[in-house]
Structures are given as structure tokens and as C-alpha cells.
Amino acid sequence: MRTTLRRARPPRSRAARTRTTALLLAPALAMTTLAAVPAQARQSYPFQNPRLSVDARVNDLAGRLTLDEKISLLHQYQPAIPRLGIKRFKTGTEALHGLAWSTDVNAGGAVRTATATVFPQSVGLGATWNPGLIKKVGSAVGDEARGYNKENSDVWGLQLWAPVVNLLRDPRWGRNEEGYSEDPLLSGLLGTAYGKGMQGDHPKYLKAAPVVKHYLANNNEVRRDTTSSSLRPRVKKEYDEVPFKLPLSADAATGVMTAYNLINGRPATAHADANDLVRAWASKTLFNVTDAGGPNNLVNSQKYYGSLAEADAATIKAGVDSFTTDDTNSAKTIAAIKEALDKKYLAERDVDTAVRHILSIRVRLGEFDPDGGPYAKITKSVVNSPAHQRLARQAATEQTVLLKNQNRALPLDAAKNKKVAVVGPLADTLYTDWYSGALPYKVTPLAGIRNRLGSAGTVTGSEGADRIALKDADSGKYVTAGTGAAGAPLKLSAEKPGAAEQFDVFDWGQGVVTLRSVANGKTVGRFNWGDTMVNDQDQPNGWFVQQMFKLERDGDGVLLRYAGYEKAYDWAEPAKTYLKAGDDGTLVLASKGEATRFTREVVRDGVDEAVKVATGADTAVVVVGSMPFINGREDHDRTTMALAERQSELIKAVRKANPNTVVIVENSYPTTLTWEQDNVPALLWTSHAGAETGNALASVLFGDASPSGRLPQTWYRSENDLPDILEYDIIKTDRTYLYFKGKPLYPFGHGLSYGSFRYGKPRLSSRSTAANGTVTVQVPVTNTSRTAADEVVQLYTHQRTSRVKQPVKQLRAFQKVHLKAGQTRTVTLRLRAADLAHWDVTRNRWTVEKASHDILIGSSSADIRQRATLAVRGEKVPARDLAKPTRAADFDDQQNALLVDESKVRGDAVGAGPGGWIKFAGADLGRGVTGIKARAAREAEGGTTVQVRLDRPDGPLAGTLTIPSTGDRYAYREATAALTGATGRRDVYLVFGGDARLSSFALTR
């Protein structure tokens, strides 16, 4: 993917991402450093008048800008315009689950990380199933963004690049931690809540300007800038668009970020949906942005346009207003836009339109108000405030999911569990992820349990990590690390293994380990892109994580292999992946043939130590999981859903030593806990949940809070339950809980409680409804236990009959309710018949069919407690009329066919090769059709065919189209053929004989 040495630097996706880049500012930016505002700029212009409408203020300001000034605003780093008193403006402060980081224009785009409230990862927030809570979290994030902005507006911009609403379609997706759910409704509602919270409730002004990302169908990291997400219309409309449409239609977001991938063959960066759909969903002006480097990808990796001028022009015309590219250097974008204007790729009115979108958001942020608007009084005192700490703890608690609780192993009785062992690689540490701020404080699981038990209990801990020393098999000298806080290059020096020669080994799976030096507690990694290794990092970090190693067996010794992420790229030196001792003993990168062979001496066996700690304890708590920068994160999909091998060994050994074992899995994605589910009494899941993780876990473990988290995605038993990660057709491949017919390890919506709940008979306001009607469903829910607890009441529907394949079940409404012991509450859920619609490909519109729907109410998608039936007085979809022009993309089924770009601007076509086919079901051919005409293109030399077959792909042959070479994939020509035997109600198949593209066709009589 990243194919040049230039891209060895972190590609700053979802914010100006480079954490180490130190580029010189472009002249266009250097000239705009704020000086004293000229006297004429201090006068009052209409755009500075808060009493005027937003449009009036935008029109006034836009009219005062020169063309050069307007063009300068199209880059991520917008320069100041001193003559008008306008300050610099920067797009993109990261705020995915708390204020995270931004970039400093005055330091060449260097990253500045906020020390702020860190809330649970987005997938954890998704597990709360609590939009009200998520809005409060968003509001806290907006407040803290304002506080930092007050201190330094050059660094901490108020356009926040969050939330991510891409659906968690595949649990192997590297960015699973960033999304809320695999369900479009849940994702959309939580994204709406987060956005509403960030931007505030003022009717006119914005506290912050949230941007939802990444539009659209961005669910794989492998070749993410060159792969195309093939979305049939139903999948696009019913699934991928929904979580974007919901927040935008609720005015809970002020723009979208376009994705890296292609959508049906067209790069998302310059996809017409940004104008055609996205703006139509919102009632207010949107300010859309590209992902980092996306504009350059159009020319480089995607090779979609021949020049940056063409690419930038297409991007603006598609509805994207701001270019996140070339770090702080806006000169390249400015030059490309000017070239595009000179060559008539763009008109000045196109630039004006984009600039007005940008200025509209800046006006709403209060930037041009004399007093900065109603949110300008927020200061940095809000950051990590006691109120925000309490909110972080609540969120961390509510997202904790109780996966299993055999024989009421939990909650623990503090009076009886006074001796607790807390073991595992995450027992006494908290990790942050790529989109996290710095933790202002840390409460680890071990600390949280100690806090909870206080002096009344004894809590012992062990990380369960092997402590080793590495001795050169030839010289007998040991690898030594630095003892100071800054560490030192690893070197062969000592004759005996003291503390400086010892390293704790943490296994993160698939052979990848990290080494933490006992000398100073710092993690070992490559130093400043050099050849030496230094113990100087608090945790693995960076875009190219350089703290990863593999200990490879070599006879009776081991080789130390460096496994930094940059080695996966073609600009790296792949041969230099092992460590050897140089002439002075310093370990440096080398080839395998030069590698030093070490003897791995185990100073302390981590599993044995954990077993000793756990033996005899009243309860053993094992905390395992992930390191968020390793084996699954942005730019790196997971290839397995299993726990790390050594972590599995640890669980099994502790469980054998102590039957009262509780396992906590702290990671960012579903995990195949099949052995643990069968053998461990109690299992809990938490995301990397921020500073309050330990307090939250302790409150759940000891019953101070009943667990109320519910899984926001399906946990499968095996990777074998999943198709290829690049397969986006969830309908055809039975993907996600919507269509999956197998038995998952844990179903969507699953989560146990310390309470128990009885669902009474549901009462519908009506047993039938018109297609435009609304039905309320009321169900009494009783807490039948002696424990106050939260229940998430979930309402699903299933359509019994339909022209098309319908979901097994689909979430339509939910409500989280708190019930005291013995309390009954009647939960009221609304169900709109319009929400039961599917996208009718025969007529290109939403349709509510006449059908009976099962109303399924319960505690998860698999735990249905009550049922009812609703009759919907919709329509019957008529038979297909293929005599009308029909888009090839509107097929009902396909095999080995892809959706491709009909043109570079808009429209979808079907591309297929030999044996590929598309199906059009239930066509009314009447007394017979006699011919077919089609628009087709073939780039390759020579011709090919498309057969028209009936009933089956190999059914009766009605006719054959001859498709000549058109020389260009976008050059469509009409092809015709005679048909015979095509009568009655039939399924029509178009079977490709060779590579071709089909845009549309019609049958003739």
C-alpha cells in the first residue's frame, strides 16, 4: 500500500497524522503567521455581526475574499487573513473516545497529544447501548476540546474528526476498536448521540464541529487504498449508508470524511455521494473533508486521474471541501487548484461553493463573533474534571459485558473473598490506542481491586510474563539495557544476569512479543529509525510500531527477530530483520545470516509465578487481552481471532490451580474463547476503557454495579464462520447477526446480569398498520431478583414473506432501563412501518411490502422472551418489467460479478469475467420477448459475449449478445441480439463469456 520511501512516515489518517514529521512550512503558510491585526481589520464587518443569519455572514465574508485567499482555505491548514482579522484555522482534531491529539502548524505538523479524559474505546461505548450516556460523553469531549482550543487554537482546532460510524461488519477488521456496532441502527443512534453531545444544544452555535467517518464501506485495512468495496444497492442502502444518514439527518454532524477505499470502483475521495446523498440528508450546511493523503492517492496508488489538478477538481466537484494532504504544505494543493481553474477543470463558482461550506461552520463555531460565541468561555479547567472522571467511570462500568456466569460465580462477596489474586499481562497496566489521549492517571485492574477491598483484604498480583536473560551463545555475555529513564542501546556487556540484563516477555499472539526492561520498566524498540534498539518507551506506540520482536528457535538457541510494522512495506530493508552484536557489542539490525544466536535463560517462568500467586486465593482473576498497537489496529487487519498462545496457557494453568477463576478479556474485538466458555466459571469483557478501567471492573466484580453491557457485534466460534474480509455482500454471504444462520459463541446483544428479568406479554397499539403508520409496543419488565440491575430491552422484527431475502432478524428499537429489586416497568418502544422497508431494486425506491412481521422482544438477538405479530398493509412488488431500461447493477443475485464505476463521475455498472453472471428474478416476459439491447464496454482487444439464459445460469439459452472491444472501460456501445423462447414469469440470467462491463439493458418485444 504505502509504496514510497516518502510514506515511511506515518500516513496521518483521520487527523494530520504524522507524529514525527518535521517538514518545512510551505511559503503560502509561512506568509500568514499572525501579526498585529491592521487597524482596518478591527472595524466591524457584517460577517462579524452575530445578529445576522449564518448565510448573510458567510455571503459577506466570502464576497470580501480574493480568489487566492479562497483557494488557500481549501487545505487542512487554513492560513490567517490579517487584513480581515481572520485567524488561522485547522481541520481535524482527533476525538474518538476523548480528546486525543492534533498537529502543530508551527512545528511542521508535529503531533501534540492531549492529557485529557480518556473514555472507553468506541466499541466499548457501543457496548453500553445507552445513547443518553454517549451524549454526555460527547459533551465532555466537546468541553475539553474547547478548553484546549482556548489555550492554543493553532493546534487544537474545533473541527473534531469523530465519530467513526463504519459498521463492524467483520471482527477481523483492524479498526474494530473505532466503531460502535455491526448493526446500522445501533451505530447510527450512538453516533448521533456522540455528535449531538460534542456540538452542544445551542440552536445556532456549535461547541465543536463533529465529522463522521469514513464514508463509505471502509472495513478492511489490507490494500485499503486500492481495494474496492463492491456494494449492491440493497447492501449500500439498507446497511452501509444508514449509520451515516442517521446522524446527518439529525443534524448531529457537520460533515463527513471520505474513506481511502473505492466504492464500486470509484475512489471515495472523489465520490459524487458527498454531494448527491450526504448533503441531501442534512438540513444544514456541511463541511466535508478528505482522509489524509486521499487526494494524492487518486493520482498515485489508485491511478484514477492523470494529474493532481484533475484529481483535486473532481474532489471538489464531488462535494468535498477540504484537502487533508501533504502535511502542513498547502502549496501543492493551491498549485493544483489554480491549474485546474486555468485548464477549466474547475470554475471559480466551484471554489466559492466549497469556501462557503467551510465558512458556514466557522461562523457557527463563533469564531467571527466579537466575544467568540457562547462556548468561548469554556477554559482548560474542564479537562479531567471530577465530573468527567465520574462520567468516565460510569462509561467504563456500563460497557463491561458479563459473558458467562456459571453457578453465580459473580459477584464476589467481599466478606468471603478477602484473598484475591490478580494475574495476567493486563493485570497491572493500562494501554492507550492510536486515537487516544494520554491518561491523566491510571487505575489498573489490580489497583481497582485493591482499592475496593482496602485493608480488609489481601490482593496479590503477577503479570504472568516470563522474565528472561539473553546470553550470546559464543561470547557468553548478556544483553544489557540502560538503567536511566531514557534507557540506552542494548549491548552485550555483562558476565552475569543482573536486573539490567533481564527482560519481561509479553506475548501478543502469532509469535509477536514485546520486551520490557527490568532495569527501568521501559519497552525495548528501534531507536529513531536507526539500527540500534533502546529501552525507552512507556508502551508500544507510533504509526510504524517499532517495539515488536519474535524469538525464533535456532537449534538449542534463539534468534532475536525485529518485527516492527515498517518491515511490511516495500521501502523497508526486509533483509535487516534480525539482531546481531556489533564489534562493540551493541545490538544492531542485520540479515538472518549475520544474526547473533542467543541462549534464552528463564529467570522466572511467568505462568508458574501466576499459578503460585493464584493457588490458595479465594478467587483468581486473570486479566488477558490485547496491546492496541499490535496484531489489529489501523492499517493492520487481524488474521486470527484467538487469544495469544501464552495467554491461553496462563488461563488454563490458573484455572487448574484454582477452581474459583474469573477471566477478564480486555481488548477491542470479538475473541474465540471457546475453551474458556467451556471451562472457566465466569468471563467478563471490557474494551481498553481508560483511566477508570480498574475501578469499573472492581465495581462489577464485587457487585457494586450489576453488569449492563451488551455485545454490539457477533462473536463467532471460528474464522471459518466468516467469508473473505474483502467480501462486502452481507446478504449473499450470510454475514453479521442479520443474516448469519450458524450458532455463534456469543450472539449480538448478549450480556448477562446479576439481576433476572421477566418479560410480560407485549401489547401493541395496533395489530396492523399502514405502510406509513407507527405502532407502539409496550412490554412490562420485572426484576425478579433481589439485586437492582439494568436490562437492555431489545425489539427485533422478522418479515415472514418477501420478494427478496430478508434478515433472520433485525434490531428495530431498544431501551436500557434500571429496575430495583422486584420492580416492574412498562417499556414503550416505537416501531415505524417505514423502517421495515427494503430497497426495491426493481423500481429503485424504498418499499414496504404487504407482509406479516414477527415482533421479537428479549434480552439479546438469541434470547427472545416474548413474541407478537404485526400485519403491515404495504404493497406487493410487481413482477420485474425488463422491457424498461434496467440498470445491470440492480440485479437480485450474482456470481463472480462486481459493481464497478460506470463513469469517473457517477453511476454503477457490472463487471464480470468468464462464467460470471447476474440474475433478475421474477421477470414478466408475457407472451414473449424477441430481443435485447444493452450498453456494454470492453477494454480488452477482441470481442466477447453475454448470454441470456432462463431459470438458471445454465438454463435454456434465449440469445447471445456480442460485445465488441470498445478500447476503454468507460466507452459504452449498444449491443443487440434476438431472443427466442423467453415467455412467462421467469428468472433471467446474463452470463458473461469474457471480461466486459454492462451498464444497462432492456428486453424488446
Side-chain angles (χ1 to χ4, degrees):
M1 280 207 348
R2 300 287 170 186
T3 57
T4 65
L5 184 58
R6 172 88 175 86
R7 289 178 181 169
R9 300 185 181 277
R12 300 172 301 120
S13 173
R14 330 311 178 211
R17 179 177 277 153
T18 308
R19 300 213 170 195
T20 56
T21 305
L23 299 179
L24 294 176
L25 299 184
L29 278 175
M31 293 171 60
T32 64
T33 302
L34 275 177
V37 177
Q40 66 267 28
R42 292 198 292 268
Q43 63 183 294
S44 179
Y45 293 112
F47 73 83
Q48 297 168 325
N49 184 353
R51 292 187 297 274
L52 296 178
S53 69
V54 172
D55 287 345
R57 298 173 73 182
V58 169
N59 290 338
D60 176 70
L61 178 51
R64 296 178 187 278
L65 299 175
T66 67
L67 179 57
D68 282 349
E69 288 169 339
K70 286 185 283 190
I71 293 172
S72 74
L73 299 181
L74 300 179
H75 190 264
Q76 177 184 17
Y77 293 90
Q78 300 176 24
I81 304 175
R83 70 181 184 85
L84 295 174
I86 296 174
K87 296 181 180 180
R88 280 197 289 224
F89 184 89
K90 174 194 165 294
T91 69
T93 295
E94 296 294 356
L96 188 59
H97 54 107
L99 188 67
W101 51 272
S102 190
T103 50
D104 190 345
V105 66
N106 295 309
V111 162
R112 306 299 184 210
T113 301
T115 300
T117 308
V118 177
F119 294 95
Q121 293 176 304
S122 295
V123 67
L125 296 177
T128 69
W129 286 62
N130 189 343
L133 173 62
I134 303 309
K135 183 179 179 183
K136 291 178 182 178
V137 171
S139 181
V141 175
D143 285 345
E144 297 197 2
R146 274 283 176 176
Y148 267 88
N149 175 264
K150 186 83 168 182
E151 182 179 78
N152 188 337
S153 61
D154 274 354
V155 173
W156 302 100
L158 290 173
Q159 190 199 54
L160 307 184
W161 285 353
V164 170
V165 295
N166 295 110
L167 294 164
L168 306 184
R169 171 190 62 95
D170 192 306
R172 297 167 298 187
W173 183 35
R175 306 186 73 167
N176 197 84
E177 66 194 35
E178 297 182 36
Y180 293 119
S181 173
E182 71 181 22
D183 180 73
L185 175 66
L186 182 58
S187 291
L189 291 179
L190 296 182
T192 298
Y194 196 69
K196 284 281 190 183
M198 284 194 291
Q199 68 184 31
D201 293 322
H202 197 284
K204 182 177 178 181
Y205 288 94
L206 296 166
K207 179 165 43 178
V211 172
V212 292
K213 52 184 187 176
H214 315 82
Y215 190 90
L216 182 75
N218 178 197
N219 277 138
N220 61 276
E221 299 304 291
V222 57
R223 303 188 304 280
R224 62 179 180 170
D225 59 338
T226 56
T227 55
S228 176
S229 303
S230 186
L231 301 180
R232 62 196 284 187
R234 282 194 63 202
V235 173
K236 187 170 185 286
K237 293 292 183 183
E238 297 173 24
Y239 193 65
D240 286 282
E241 287 181 6
V242 174
F244 289 88
K245 185 177 181 179
L246 286 176
L248 287 164
S249 61
D251 290 321
T254 61
V256 300
M257 173 186 281
T258 54
Y260 280 133
N261 55 282
L262 295 87
I263 307 166
N264 293 349
R266 184 177 298 106
T269 301
H271 201 287
D273 273 6
N275 258 338
D276 296 353
L277 280 180
V278 170
R279 293 195 191 280
W281 292 333
S283 64
K284 295 182 179 179
T285 300
L286 300 179
F287 172 7
N288 297 328
V289 304
T290 74
D291 203 341
N296 291 349
N297 289 344
L298 290 169
V299 177
N300 298 330
S301 60
Q302 293 167 347
K303 302 187 187 309
Y304 203 74
Y305 291 102
S307 70
L308 194 59
E310 294 172 273
D312 285 4
T315 301
I316 289 177
K317 285 186 172 182
V320 182
D321 309 306
S322 180
F323 293 81
T324 313
T325 187
D326 300 311
D327 301 315
T328 59
N329 183 4
S330 63
K332 293 181 181 180
T333 296
I334 290 170
I337 297 298
K338 288 184 175 181
E339 181 184 345
L341 288 167
D342 289 343
K343 293 184 175 179
K344 308 300 181 185
Y345 302 147
L346 273 181
E348 186 173 347
R349 65 178 176 274
D350 297 318
V351 174
D352 289 344
T353 297
V355 168
R356 287 173 189 275
H357 296 156
I358 294 167
L359 295 179
S360 176
I361 300 305
R362 293 181 66 172
V363 167
R364 293 179 64 199
L365 285 167
E367 180 184 345
F368 306 130
D369 284 26
D371 63 355
Y375 294 110
K377 296 181 178 62
I378 298 175
T379 67
K380 202 174 177 183
S381 63
V382 302
V383 176
N384 190 37
S385 65
H388 290 181
Q389 292 178 7
R390 290 191 296 271
L391 184 63
R393 182 168 180 172
Q394 180 186 356
T397 302
E398 286 202 32
Q399 57 94 58
T400 303
V401 181
L402 181 59
L403 298 172
K404 178 185 178 182
N405 195 20
Q406 183 178 336
N407 298 326
R408 299 179 180 265
L410 293 176
L412 302 177
D413 185 340
K416 298 179 180 178
N417 287 270
K418 294 185 177 182
K419 186 177 179 182
V420 178
V422 185
V423 302
L426 283 89
D428 199 26
T429 190
L430 295 180
Y431 288 122
T432 56
D433 61 33
W434 178 253
Y435 286 106
S436 173
L439 294 169
Y441 61 96
K442 297 180 181 180
V443 183
T444 67
L446 178 63
I449 292 171
R450 279 182 174 154
N451 292 343
R452 174 60 179 81
L453 286 179
S455 60
T458 301
V459 180
T460 54
S462 166
E463 292 176 304
D466 290 343
R467 180 164 291 182
I468 67 169
L470 294 169
K471 182 173 70 174
D472 179 4
D474 293 329
S475 70
K477 291 185 177 182
Y478 288 87
V479 176
T480 302
T483 57
L490 269 58
K491 188 175 184 178
L492 291 179
S493 64
E495 302 292 340
K496 295 182 180 180
E501 288 72 45
Q502 296 177 22
F503 302 89
D504 292 329
V505 183
F506 293 88
D507 176 19
W508 303 115
Q510 299 178 278
V512 174
V513 301
T514 53
L515 303 174
R516 188 182 64 197
S517 170
V518 174
N520 64 355
K522 296 294 183 73
T523 301
V524 174
R526 186 177 182 182
F527 180 71
N528 199 27
W529 292 87
D531 282 348
T532 59
M533 303 294 148
V534 177
N535 57 318
D536 66 343
Q537 296 299 308
D538 290 332
Q539 69 164 58
N541 63 83
W543 179 254
F544 295 108
V545 182
Q546 299 183 352
Q547 293 84 30
M548 302 189 300
F549 297 89
K550 293 186 177 183
L551 296 172
E552 294 186 353
R553 288 187 176 275
D554 183 61
D556 58 354
V558 295
L559 303 181
L560 190 55
R561 179 179 174 183
Y562 170 70
Y565 270 159
E566 81 278 6
K567 290 299 182 182
Y569 293 83
D570 57 8
W571 47 260
E573 296 181 76
K576 296 177 68 173
T577 54
Y578 290 82
L579 296 186
K580 75 169 184 177
D583 293 339
D584 65 349
T586 301
L587 299 190
V588 296
L589 286 173
S591 67
K592 185 174 183 179
E594 300 172 298
T596 296
R597 189 166 61 90
F598 298 99
T599 299
R600 180 182 186 271
E601 295 184 355
V602 178
V603 179
R604 183 187 68 204
D605 185 290
V607 172
D608 287 349
E609 185 195 57
V611 167
K612 290 176 184 177
V613 172
T615 301
D618 297 323
T619 297
V621 178
V622 186
V623 191
V624 296
S626 69
M627 199 288 128
F629 280 79
I630 296 174
N631 286 344
R633 54 156 284 184
E634 182 174 0
D635 208 32
H636 295 274
D637 293 316
R638 287 196 297 162
T639 55
T640 176
M641 295 190 292
L643 278 175
E645 294 84 351
R646 190 64 168 163
Q647 293 185 25
S648 293
E649 290 177 26
L650 175 67
I651 293 171
K652 291 174 182 177
V654 172
R655 173 67 180 86
K656 183 177 180 181
N658 191 325
N660 300 320
T661 294
V662 175
V663 171
I664 297 172
V665 180
E666 183 180 343
N667 64 16
S668 316
Y669 32 69
T671 310
T672 49
L673 304 174
T674 48
W675 186 92
E676 291 75 13
Q677 172 62 26
D678 291 339
N679 294 280
V680 175
L683 296 171
L684 284 166
W685 175 84
T686 175
S687 72
H688 293 279
E692 287 288 338
T693 299
N695 284 333
L697 287 172
S699 67
V700 171
L701 285 171
F702 287 94
D704 303 322
S706 177
S708 64
R710 302 293 184 264
L711 294 179
Q713 60 189 131
T714 304
W715 285 40
Y716 299 94
R717 291 182 176 273
S718 166
E719 292 90 353
N720 296 331
D721 290 333
L722 295 167
D724 188 273
I725 196 170
L726 297 177
E727 175 56 74
Y728 276 75
D729 191 342
I730 67 166
I731 299 176
K732 184 176 181 65
T733 58
D734 294 335
R735 183 172 243 164
T736 80
Y737 86 96
L738 292 165
Y739 295 96
F740 185 60
K741 295 182 176 67
K743 184 178 180 181
L745 180 64
Y746 304 116
F748 173 78
H750 172 73
L752 305 177
S753 171
Y754 296 153
S756 56
F757 305 94
R758 182 178 65 244
Y759 284 63
K761 187 175 181 180
R763 185 174 66 201
L764 278 60
S765 59
S766 176
R767 291 290 180 178
S768 67
T769 182
N772 61 352
T774 297
V775 174
T776 59
V777 181
Q778 293 185 314
V779 58
V781 180
T782 303
N783 183 347
T784 57
S785 71
R786 298 179 180 179
T787 302
D790 291 344
E791 172 69 327
V792 180
V793 181
Q794 304 167 36
L795 187 154
Y796 299 84
T797 65
H798 169 69
Q799 185 170 329
R800 294 180 180 176
T801 58
S802 176
R803 179 192 176 274
V804 298
K805 181 179 179 179
Q806 287 285 344
V808 175
K809 59 175 69 74
Q810 184 163 2
L811 183 70
R812 301 298 185 181
F814 62 91
Q815 188 175 335
K816 194 169 197 173
V817 294
H818 182 76
L819 295 172
K820 298 177 183 179
Q823 182 183 6
T824 298
R825 282 184 58 182
T826 297
V827 177
T828 300
L829 302 168
R830 292 178 69 251
L831 178 63
R832 297 191 321 144
D835 292 335
L836 304 176
H838 75 266
W839 184 257
D840 178 17
V841 294
T842 72
R843 295 171 295 174
N844 279 291
R845 64 175 177 84
W846 292 102
T847 184
V848 177
E849 290 181 289
K850 179 181 180 181
S852 293
H853 292 256
D854 295 316
I855 308 298
L856 311 170
I857 305 166
S859 194
S860 81
S861 61
D863 185 6
I864 301 302
R865 308 288 184 85
Q866 291 288 347
R867 298 170 179 266
T869 302
L870 176 68
V872 177
R873 301 189 299 276
E875 63 176 331
K876 181 179 180 180
V877 177
R880 268 193 184 268
D881 183 0
L882 297 182
K884 296 179 179 178
T886 300
R887 296 193 319 156
D890 287 328
F891 55 76
D892 288 293
D893 196 6
Q894 59 82 23
Q895 188 69 47
N896 297 327
L898 294 174
L899 275 297
V900 295
D901 50 335
E902 184 178 24
S903 75
K904 287 193 172 184
V905 179
R906 57 174 50 84
D908 296 334
V910 170
W917 53 259
I918 50 179
K919 172 187 176 181
F920 299 84
D924 184 2
L925 306 181
R927 295 182 178 179
V929 291
T930 58
I932 181 173
K933 57 182 179 180
R935 291 185 67 246
R938 176 172 163 84
E939 189 172 20
E941 294 181 356
T944 188
T945 61
V946 174
Q947 296 178 338
V948 181
R949 291 187 175 272
L950 304 177
D951 306 328
R952 309 180 306 277
D954 59 351
L957 178 64
T960 301
L961 285 162
T962 298
I963 311 298
S965 172
T966 62
D968 189 300
R969 69 185 65 181
Y970 304 121
Y972 291 89
R973 294 181 186 172
E974 185 174 285
T976 61
L979 299 180
T980 59
T983 61
R985 183 80 173 260
R986 311 289 285 273
D987 293 340
V988 175
Y989 289 79
L990 301 182
V991 183
F992 288 71
D995 292 338
R997 290 186 170 207
L998 189 63
S999 168
S1000 61
F1001 69 97
L1003 305 183
T1004 57
R1005 289 186 168 89

